[in-house]
PDB file of all heavy atoms in Angstrom:
ATOM      1  N   LEU A 297     224.586  56.318  75.970  1.00  0.00           N
ATOM      2  CA  LEU A 297     223.510  56.872  76.778  1.00  0.00           C
ATOM      3  C   LEU A 297     223.034  58.323  76.112  1.00  0.00           C
ATOM      4  O   LEU A 297     222.753  59.273  76.882  1.00  0.00           O
ATOM      5  CB  LEU A 297     223.990  57.128  78.273  1.00  0.00           C
ATOM      6  CG  LEU A 297     224.565  55.890  78.907  1.00  0.00           C
ATOM      7  CD1 LEU A 297     225.109  56.339  80.196  1.00  0.00           C
ATOM      8  CD2 LEU A 297     223.420  54.849  79.138  1.00  0.00           C
ATOM      9  N   GLU A 298     222.995  58.370  74.913  1.00  0.00           N
ATOM     10  CA  GLU A 298     222.739  59.650  74.208  1.00  0.00           C
ATOM     11  C   GLU A 298     221.446  60.218  74.707  1.00  0.00           C
ATOM     12  O   GLU A 298     221.210  61.428  74.937  1.00  0.00           O
ATOM     13  CB  GLU A 298     222.812  59.522  72.627  1.00  0.00           C
ATOM     14  CG  GLU A 298     222.578  60.771  71.903  1.00  0.00           C
ATOM     15  CD  GLU A 298     222.818  60.542  70.338  1.00  0.00           C
ATOM     16  OE1 GLU A 298     223.247  59.494  70.042  1.00  0.00           O
ATOM     17  OE2 GLU A 298     222.410  61.507  69.668  1.00  0.00           O
ATOM     18  N   MET A 299     220.433  59.320  74.615  1.00  0.00           N
ATOM     19  CA  MET A 299     219.065  59.827  75.036  1.00  0.00           C
ATOM     20  C   MET A 299     219.032  60.241  76.456  1.00  0.00           C
ATOM     21  O   MET A 299     218.322  61.249  76.774  1.00  0.00           O
ATOM     22  CB  MET A 299     218.080  58.823  74.699  1.00  0.00           C
ATOM     23  CG  MET A 299     217.867  58.463  73.278  1.00  0.00           C
ATOM     24  SD  MET A 299     217.376  59.985  72.365  1.00  0.00           S
ATOM     25  CE  MET A 299     215.681  60.256  73.086  1.00  0.00           C
ATOM     26  N   LEU A 300     219.668  59.467  77.327  1.00  0.00           N
ATOM     27  CA  LEU A 300     219.616  59.822  78.762  1.00  0.00           C
ATOM     28  C   LEU A 300     220.323  61.195  79.092  1.00  0.00           C
ATOM     29  O   LEU A 300     219.878  61.941  79.928  1.00  0.00           O
ATOM     30  CB  LEU A 300     220.259  58.691  79.618  1.00  0.00           C
ATOM     31  CG  LEU A 300     219.518  57.443  79.688  1.00  0.00           C
ATOM     32  CD1 LEU A 300     220.338  56.274  80.376  1.00  0.00           C
ATOM     33  CD2 LEU A 300     218.118  57.591  80.246  1.00  0.00           C
ATOM     34  N   ILE A 301     221.500  61.325  78.370  1.00  0.00           N
ATOM     35  CA  ILE A 301     222.229  62.587  78.610  1.00  0.00           C
ATOM     36  C   ILE A 301     221.473  63.752  78.121  1.00  0.00           C
ATOM     37  O   ILE A 301     221.438  64.842  78.753  1.00  0.00           O
ATOM     38  CB  ILE A 301     223.652  62.479  77.940  1.00  0.00           C
ATOM     39  CG1 ILE A 301     224.492  61.383  78.607  1.00  0.00           C
ATOM     40  CG2 ILE A 301     224.295  63.858  77.948  1.00  0.00           C
ATOM     41  CD1 ILE A 301     225.789  61.147  77.834  1.00  0.00           C
ATOM     42  N   THR A 302     220.879  63.651  76.949  1.00  0.00           N
ATOM     43  CA  THR A 302     219.993  64.701  76.378  1.00  0.00           C
ATOM     44  C   THR A 302     218.806  65.086  77.297  1.00  0.00           C
ATOM     45  O   THR A 302     218.594  66.207  77.611  1.00  0.00           O
ATOM     46  CB  THR A 302     219.532  64.402  75.057  1.00  0.00           C
ATOM     47  OG1 THR A 302     220.470  63.996  74.177  1.00  0.00           O
ATOM     48  CG2 THR A 302     218.626  65.541  74.446  1.00  0.00           C
ATOM     49  N   ASP A 303     218.236  64.038  77.803  1.00  0.00           N
ATOM     50  CA  ASP A 303     217.144  64.333  78.782  1.00  0.00           C
ATOM     51  C   ASP A 303     217.621  64.824  80.062  1.00  0.00           C
ATOM     52  O   ASP A 303     216.931  65.815  80.595  1.00  0.00           O
ATOM     53  CB  ASP A 303     216.450  62.939  79.109  1.00  0.00           C
ATOM     54  CG  ASP A 303     215.209  63.056  80.074  1.00  0.00           C
ATOM     55  OD1 ASP A 303     214.393  63.761  79.630  1.00  0.00           O
ATOM     56  OD2 ASP A 303     215.306  62.489  81.104  1.00  0.00           O
ATOM     57  N   TYR A 304     218.763  64.502  80.580  1.00  0.00           N
ATOM     58  CA  TYR A 304     219.389  65.047  81.751  1.00  0.00           C
ATOM     59  C   TYR A 304     219.656  66.525  81.618  1.00  0.00           C
ATOM     60  O   TYR A 304     219.219  67.432  82.470  1.00  0.00           O
ATOM     61  CB  TYR A 304     220.720  64.347  82.117  1.00  0.00           C
ATOM     62  CG  TYR A 304     221.490  65.019  83.203  1.00  0.00           C
ATOM     63  CD1 TYR A 304     221.185  64.881  84.615  1.00  0.00           C
ATOM     64  CD2 TYR A 304     222.586  65.761  82.866  1.00  0.00           C
ATOM     65  CE1 TYR A 304     221.838  65.574  85.524  1.00  0.00           C
ATOM     66  CE2 TYR A 304     223.332  66.411  83.748  1.00  0.00           C
ATOM     67  CZ  TYR A 304     222.959  66.318  85.195  1.00  0.00           C
ATOM     68  OH  TYR A 304     223.721  66.982  86.067  1.00  0.00           O
ATOM     69  N   PHE A 305     220.229  66.877  80.510  1.00  0.00           N
ATOM     70  CA  PHE A 305     220.568  68.305  80.311  1.00  0.00           C
ATOM     71  C   PHE A 305     219.379  69.166  80.046  1.00  0.00           C
ATOM     72  O   PHE A 305     219.309  70.250  80.454  1.00  0.00           O
ATOM     73  CB  PHE A 305     221.559  68.541  79.124  1.00  0.00           C
ATOM     74  CG  PHE A 305     223.015  68.209  79.553  1.00  0.00           C
ATOM     75  CD1 PHE A 305     223.630  67.034  79.011  1.00  0.00           C
ATOM     76  CD2 PHE A 305     223.641  69.111  80.226  1.00  0.00           C
ATOM     77  CE1 PHE A 305     224.966  66.847  79.301  1.00  0.00           C
ATOM     78  CE2 PHE A 305     225.070  68.869  80.726  1.00  0.00           C
ATOM     79  CZ  PHE A 305     225.662  67.701  80.236  1.00  0.00           C
ATOM     80  N   TYR A 306     218.253  68.586  79.517  1.00  0.00           N
ATOM     81  CA  TYR A 306     217.073  69.260  79.293  1.00  0.00           C
ATOM     82  C   TYR A 306     216.440  69.579  80.638  1.00  0.00           C
ATOM     83  O   TYR A 306     216.043  70.769  80.950  1.00  0.00           O
ATOM     84  CB  TYR A 306     216.190  68.387  78.469  1.00  0.00           C
ATOM     85  CG  TYR A 306     214.731  68.956  78.478  1.00  0.00           C
ATOM     86  CD1 TYR A 306     214.448  70.048  77.535  1.00  0.00           C
ATOM     87  CD2 TYR A 306     213.684  68.509  79.155  1.00  0.00           C
ATOM     88  CE1 TYR A 306     213.181  70.611  77.544  1.00  0.00           C
ATOM     89  CE2 TYR A 306     212.429  69.018  79.083  1.00  0.00           C
ATOM     90  CZ  TYR A 306     212.119  70.006  78.314  1.00  0.00           C
ATOM     91  OH  TYR A 306     210.920  70.617  78.220  1.00  0.00           O
ATOM     92  N   LYS A 307     216.399  68.615  81.582  1.00  0.00           N
ATOM     93  CA  LYS A 307     215.893  68.810  82.925  1.00  0.00           C
ATOM     94  C   LYS A 307     216.725  69.902  83.647  1.00  0.00           C
ATOM     95  O   LYS A 307     216.174  70.621  84.399  1.00  0.00           O
ATOM     96  CB  LYS A 307     215.860  67.501  83.696  1.00  0.00           C
ATOM     97  CG  LYS A 307     214.808  66.499  83.200  1.00  0.00           C
ATOM     98  CD  LYS A 307     214.807  65.255  83.949  1.00  0.00           C
ATOM     99  CE  LYS A 307     213.700  64.245  83.446  1.00  0.00           C
ATOM    100  NZ  LYS A 307     213.717  62.996  84.251  1.00  0.00           N
ATOM    101  N   ARG A 308     218.117  69.734  83.572  1.00  0.00           N
ATOM    102  CA  ARG A 308     218.941  70.670  84.247  1.00  0.00           C
ATOM    103  C   ARG A 308     218.672  72.109  83.711  1.00  0.00           C
ATOM    104  O   ARG A 308     218.641  72.984  84.548  1.00  0.00           O
ATOM    105  CB  ARG A 308     220.404  70.352  83.999  1.00  0.00           C
ATOM    106  CG  ARG A 308     221.378  71.186  84.787  1.00  0.00           C
ATOM    107  CD  ARG A 308     221.186  71.070  86.291  1.00  0.00           C
ATOM    108  NE  ARG A 308     222.086  71.908  86.934  1.00  0.00           N
ATOM    109  CZ  ARG A 308     223.284  71.572  87.375  1.00  0.00           C
ATOM    110  NH1 ARG A 308     223.710  70.319  87.158  1.00  0.00           N
ATOM    111  NH2 ARG A 308     224.078  72.362  88.090  1.00  0.00           N
ATOM    112  N   GLN A 309     218.504  72.275  82.395  1.00  0.00           N
ATOM    113  CA  GLN A 309     218.218  73.547  81.953  1.00  0.00           C
ATOM    114  C   GLN A 309     216.929  74.121  82.525  1.00  0.00           C
ATOM    115  O   GLN A 309     216.780  75.298  82.789  1.00  0.00           O
ATOM    116  CB  GLN A 309     218.228  73.561  80.360  1.00  0.00           C
ATOM    117  CG  GLN A 309     217.964  74.922  79.705  1.00  0.00           C
ATOM    118  CD  GLN A 309     217.827  74.756  78.193  1.00  0.00           C
ATOM    119  OE1 GLN A 309     217.856  73.664  77.753  1.00  0.00           O
ATOM    120  NE2 GLN A 309     217.735  75.851  77.498  1.00  0.00           N
ATOM    121  N   MET A 310     215.896  73.235  82.593  1.00  0.00           N
ATOM    122  CA  MET A 310     214.568  73.780  83.093  1.00  0.00           C
ATOM    123  C   MET A 310     214.763  74.248  84.585  1.00  0.00           C
ATOM    124  O   MET A 310     214.195  75.173  85.038  1.00  0.00           O
ATOM    125  CB  MET A 310     213.582  72.554  83.043  1.00  0.00           C
ATOM    126  CG  MET A 310     213.150  72.240  81.630  1.00  0.00           C
ATOM    127  SD  MET A 310     212.316  73.610  80.770  1.00  0.00           S
ATOM    128  CE  MET A 310     210.916  73.704  81.786  1.00  0.00           C
ATOM    129  N   ILE A 311     215.599  73.486  85.363  1.00  0.00           N
ATOM    130  CA  ILE A 311     215.814  73.855  86.819  1.00  0.00           C
ATOM    131  C   ILE A 311     216.402  75.149  86.926  1.00  0.00           C
ATOM    132  O   ILE A 311     216.070  76.052  87.654  1.00  0.00           O
ATOM    133  CB  ILE A 311     216.507  72.739  87.560  1.00  0.00           C
ATOM    134  CG1 ILE A 311     215.685  71.388  87.717  1.00  0.00           C
ATOM    135  CG2 ILE A 311     217.088  73.228  88.860  1.00  0.00           C
ATOM    136  CD1 ILE A 311     216.488  70.261  88.155  1.00  0.00           C
ATOM    137  N   ASP A 312     217.402  75.479  86.006  1.00  0.00           N
ATOM    138  CA  ASP A 312     218.153  76.671  86.199  1.00  0.00           C
ATOM    139  C   ASP A 312     217.335  77.936  85.722  1.00  0.00           C
ATOM    140  O   ASP A 312     217.562  79.039  86.186  1.00  0.00           O
ATOM    141  CB  ASP A 312     219.385  76.693  85.161  1.00  0.00           C
ATOM    142  CG  ASP A 312     220.501  75.771  85.669  1.00  0.00           C
ATOM    143  OD1 ASP A 312     220.439  75.475  86.934  1.00  0.00           O
ATOM    144  OD2 ASP A 312     221.424  75.403  84.955  1.00  0.00           O
ATOM    145  N   THR A 313     216.264  77.730  84.990  1.00  0.00           N
ATOM    146  CA  THR A 313     215.461  78.867  84.607  1.00  0.00           C
ATOM    147  C   THR A 313     214.345  79.069  85.635  1.00  0.00           C
ATOM    148  O   THR A 313     213.779  80.088  85.613  1.00  0.00           O
ATOM    149  CB  THR A 313     214.684  78.509  83.242  1.00  0.00           C
ATOM    150  OG1 THR A 313     213.960  77.345  83.340  1.00  0.00           O
ATOM    151  CG2 THR A 313     215.772  78.365  82.157  1.00  0.00           C
ATOM    152  N   ILE A 314     214.361  78.200  86.666  1.00  0.00           N
ATOM    153  CA  ILE A 314     213.275  78.316  87.680  1.00  0.00           C
ATOM    154  C   ILE A 314     213.944  78.835  88.968  1.00  0.00           C
ATOM    155  O   ILE A 314     213.398  79.724  89.610  1.00  0.00           O
ATOM    156  CB  ILE A 314     212.444  77.060  87.949  1.00  0.00           C
ATOM    157  CG1 ILE A 314     211.734  76.646  86.591  1.00  0.00           C
ATOM    158  CG2 ILE A 314     211.634  77.080  89.159  1.00  0.00           C
ATOM    159  CD1 ILE A 314     211.042  75.369  86.734  1.00  0.00           C
ATOM    160  N   TYR A 315     215.103  78.237  89.416  1.00  0.00           N
ATOM    161  CA  TYR A 315     215.663  78.453  90.714  1.00  0.00           C
ATOM    162  C   TYR A 315     217.066  79.162  90.550  1.00  0.00           C
ATOM    163  O   TYR A 315     217.885  78.753  89.615  1.00  0.00           O
ATOM    164  CB  TYR A 315     215.814  77.137  91.449  1.00  0.00           C
ATOM    165  CG  TYR A 315     214.434  76.613  91.879  1.00  0.00           C
ATOM    166  CD1 TYR A 315     214.030  75.384  91.159  1.00  0.00           C
ATOM    167  CD2 TYR A 315     213.579  77.133  92.785  1.00  0.00           C
ATOM    168  CE1 TYR A 315     212.730  74.908  91.485  1.00  0.00           C
ATOM    169  CE2 TYR A 315     212.442  76.569  93.096  1.00  0.00           C
ATOM    170  CZ  TYR A 315     211.956  75.386  92.372  1.00  0.00           C
ATOM    171  OH  TYR A 315     210.724  74.860  92.670  1.00  0.00           O
TER     172      TYR A 315
END
Side-chain angles (χ1 to χ4, degrees):
L297 305 170
E298 185 175 349
M299 291 301 297
L300 291 176
I301 293 173
T302 303
D303 184 59
Y304 168 78
F305 279 109
Y306 172 76
K307 290 180 179 179
R308 183 62 182 269
Q309 183 181 4
M310 291 297 294
I311 291 173
D312 285 345
T313 59
I314 295 174
Y315 296 106

